[in-house]
């Protein structure tokens, strides 16, 4: 199984993974491509280019210009088991860079932004069970045609549900038409938002459609700095999921601005750029595939961690997490072991879909000062080419 994005092959002159390079440019050697026409800040041109790529250029993961997804960790065993039952054509056209599929989400309403051919939706449809629902949104009709093709047979033969609990909708993620305010419990997305020319609108819409207590749990490509405009807007770099990658701190600012006050990073994998010319073009910039968790808990998340003396105990009840549960890259709960937490963390485990799996004692009646979360791990503190990074959130 292969995935989208980075790890460009040495001397690569084939096709780009995540999209964008116009057909004429794709056949050219990378040297010429880097001198090619820029898309500028024309949002429609970016979307048209991405749509053209996914609709007409890519037919399977083997068409990818990139090496097999070096940024992807293998999915956990529970997800791997479910993936066995997902139709092969769907898996062949998976272009994600992570596994944004939390376990234990029975009954939730899930929305997948940029679902592509629907690999994650098919797994999510099983994870939420018959009482839950999954909606995949994508702007590319060819991708959706594959996603829709197997819904009935998969529902009847694999899930054995009376009727489908997943649907696929054509639309853009910058304007989620037909998705009502506060109508979703969990938003997932896999290697998509970097492709959007208007990321602020994507996050704003995600916040709008999430119900209070809802969560956005998604994987995408990020950069350790702001790229200069000529790199940001170049079709080839966009196509390689590099040009559109947000600087991590800008993403965190954007997330907070729209209401996701305390973004938490769960996992981060460095992305290798093997093509010498592309590596030369991006210079010292480093790219990461990161899975973030953004909770919508209106009025409850503070910009800094505060100490109210609250203690959280994880019950060991989430599937696949019998002994411990990682809320993020710096909160790992050992089952049944009391852990002192800040007010934000208490809310994340007590006022969201995680509630049945935690016992929180204490409330916010008494304030003991700022919560000491220790020194945040930062990108700059990682060794070059290190195995992981933790860009940090408001808390810790
Ligand atoms: C890299 S692929 C990932 C697809 C899928 N998430 C997966 O893991 O296979 C990106 C997908 O996002 C869709 N996409 C990109 N920009 C979009 C936008 N602004 N609105 C809706 N869909 C978009 C593309 O059509 C494509 O199917």
């Amino acid at each position: 199984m292969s995935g989208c994005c980075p790890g460009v092959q040495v001397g690569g002159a084939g096709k780009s993974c995540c999209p964008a390079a116009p057909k004429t440019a794709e056949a050219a050697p990378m040297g010429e491509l880097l001198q090619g026409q820029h898309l500028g800040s024309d949002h429609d041109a970016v979307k048209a280019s991405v749509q053209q790529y996914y609709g007409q250029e890519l037919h399977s993961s083997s068409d990818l210009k990139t090496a097999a997804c070096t940024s992807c960790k293998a999915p956990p065993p529970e997800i791997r088991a479910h993936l066995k039952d997902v139709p092969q054509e769907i898996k062949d056209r998976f272009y994600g860079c992570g596994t944004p599929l939390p376990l234990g989400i029975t009954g939730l309403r899930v929305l997948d932004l940029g679902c592509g051919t629907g690999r994650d939706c098919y797994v999510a449809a099983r994870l939420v069970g018959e009482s839950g629902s999954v909606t995949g949104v994508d702007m590319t009709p060819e991708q959706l045609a594959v996603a829709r093709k197997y819904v009935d047979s998969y529902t009847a033969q694999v899930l054995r549900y009376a009727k489908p609990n997943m649907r696929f909708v054509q639309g853009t993620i910058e304007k989620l038409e037909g998705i009502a305010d506060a109508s979703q419990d969990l938003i997932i997305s896999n290697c998509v938002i970097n492709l959007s020319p208007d990321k602020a609108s994507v996050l704003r819409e995600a916040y709008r459609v999430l119900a209070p207590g809802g969560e956005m749990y998604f994987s995408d490509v990020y950069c350790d700095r702001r790229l200069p405009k000529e790199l940001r807007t170049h079709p080839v770099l966009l196509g390689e999921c590099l040009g559109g990658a947000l600087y991590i701190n800008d993403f965190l600012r954007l997330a907070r601005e729209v209401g996701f006050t305390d973004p938490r990073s769960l996992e981060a994998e460095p992305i290798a750029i093997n093509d010498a010319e592309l590596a030369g073009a991006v210079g010292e910039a480093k790219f990461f595939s990161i899975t973030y968790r953004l909770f919508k808990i209106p009025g409850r998340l503070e910009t800094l961690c505060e100490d109210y003396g609250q203690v959280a105990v994880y019950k060991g009840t989430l599937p696949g997490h019998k002994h411990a549960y990682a809320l993020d890259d710096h909160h790992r709960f050992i089952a049944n072991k009391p852990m002192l937490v800040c007010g934000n963390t208490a809310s994340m485990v007590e006022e969201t879909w995680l509630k049945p799996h935690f016992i929180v004692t204490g409330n916010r009646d008494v304030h003991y000062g700022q919560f000491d979360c220790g020194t945040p791990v930062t990108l700059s503190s990682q060794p070059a080419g290190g195995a992981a990074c933790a860009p940090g959130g408001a808390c810790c």
Side-chain angles (χ1 to χ4, degrees):
M1 181 170 58
S2 181
C4 161
C5 305
V8 180
Q9 289 163 350
V10 175
K15 292 179 177 176
S16 66
C17 140
C18 300
K23 197 170 183 182
T24 47
E26 280 183 3
M30 192 58 74
E32 289 171 38
L33 291 177
L34 284 174
Q35 294 158 19
Q37 188 192 0
H38 288 221
L39 293 170
S41 55
D42 182 340
H43 290 191
D44 289 339
V46 171
K47 282 190 201 159
S49 179
V50 170
Q51 206 171 14
Q52 150 87 9
Y53 192 79
Y54 282 97
Q56 285 158 47
E57 300 296 324
L58 274 188
H59 298 292
S60 82
S61 305
S62 60
D63 290 337
L64 295 174
K65 170 185 174 57
T66 57
C69 187
T70 51
S71 61
C72 286
K73 253 174 63 173
E78 295 80 3
I79 300 294
R80 285 208 300 274
H82 295 330
L83 280 170
K84 286 197 182 115
D85 294 326
V86 174
Q88 194 58 45
E89 186 181 6
I90 286 173
K91 289 187 286 193
D92 285 347
R93 297 177 66 153
F94 168 65
Y95 309 123
C97 57
T99 308
L101 290 163
L103 298 169
I105 57 172
T106 308
L108 298 196
R109 298 162 294 178
V110 176
L111 176 67
D112 184 353
L113 301 183
C115 60
T117 55
R119 186 197 83 147
D120 292 341
C121 291
Y122 276 67
V123 175
R126 188 170 198 159
L127 296 178
V128 298
E130 210 160 359
S131 60
S133 66
V134 178
T135 303
V137 175
D138 202 287
M139 68 178 179
T140 306
E142 291 85 348
Q143 294 276 80
L144 291 172
V146 176
R148 288 175 177 140
K149 197 164 153 185
Y150 301 96
V151 169
D152 289 340
S153 56
Y154 182 82
T155 300
Q157 290 155 27
V158 176
L159 301 180
R160 299 185 186 283
Y161 298 163
K163 58 181 174 43
N165 67 342
M166 66 174 144
R167 68 188 180 119
F168 293 97
V169 176
Q170 186 176 354
T172 63
I173 57 175
E174 292 82 3
K175 194 163 183 355
L176 293 169
E177 278 171 6
I179 312 282
D181 294 1
S183 63
Q184 307 297 316
D185 303 306
L186 180 70
I187 293 179
I188 60 174
S189 185
N190 205 342
C191 208
V192 175
I193 298 170
N194 74 84
L195 298 169
S196 170
D198 183 2
K199 295 163 176 67
S201 291
V202 176
L203 290 180
R204 227 176 275 121
E205 279 290 86
Y207 192 85
R208 176 183 70 78
V209 303
L210 273 178
E215 178 185 1
M216 183 167 178
Y217 184 117
F218 69 110
S219 307
D220 204 2
V221 177
Y222 297 88
C223 189
D224 72 343
R225 65 200 65 200
R226 293 177 186 137
L227 293 170
K229 191 174 177 195
E230 64 272 18
L231 298 184
R232 268 197 334 264
T233 59
H234 195 285
V236 175
L237 289 167
L238 274 172
E240 295 301 328
C241 284
L242 301 175
L246 268 182
Y247 167 46
I248 289 165
N249 285 341
D250 284 342
F251 162 72
L252 295 172
R253 287 187 186 98
L254 207 53
R256 289 177 188 130
E257 261 170 44
V258 307
F260 294 116
T261 310
D262 187 356
R264 300 287 177 99
S265 60
L266 179 62
E267 288 181 329
E269 299 287 329
I271 289 168
I273 303 171
N274 300 324
D275 179 273
E277 189 153 8
L278 273 190
V282 302
E284 283 293 297
K286 295 186 177 44
F287 295 85
F288 300 85
S289 168
I290 304 179
T291 300
Y292 274 108
R293 306 187 70 165
L294 307 179
F295 291 95
K296 174 178 175 176
I297 316 177
R300 298 289 287 166
L301 297 180
E302 301 181 85
T303 53
L304 293 171
C305 296
E306 301 296 343
D307 186 354
Y308 299 99
Q310 290 170 291
V311 170
V313 179
Y314 169 54
K315 298 188 209 171
T317 45
L318 277 163
H321 304 282
K322 187 175 169 197
H323 301 295
Y325 179 72
L327 176 69
D328 55 38
D329 57 18
H330 53 292
H331 287 91
R332 186 166 181 271
F333 291 88
I334 307 294
N336 302 313
K337 181 181 177 190
M339 188 163 136
L340 192 61
V341 292
C342 68
N344 285 359
T345 297
S347 290
M348 288 174 192
V349 300
E350 199 187 22
E351 299 171 40
T352 66
W353 65 275
L354 293 168
K355 182 178 170 62
H357 306 286
F358 284 84
I359 298 166
V360 174
T361 49
N363 53 35
R364 297 193 186 187
D365 283 355
V366 181
H367 182 227
Y368 298 97
Q370 190 169 320
F371 192 87
D372 180 8
C373 287
T375 309
V377 182
T378 62
L379 285 173
S380 55
S381 66
Q382 290 294 313
C389 72
C395 169
C396 325

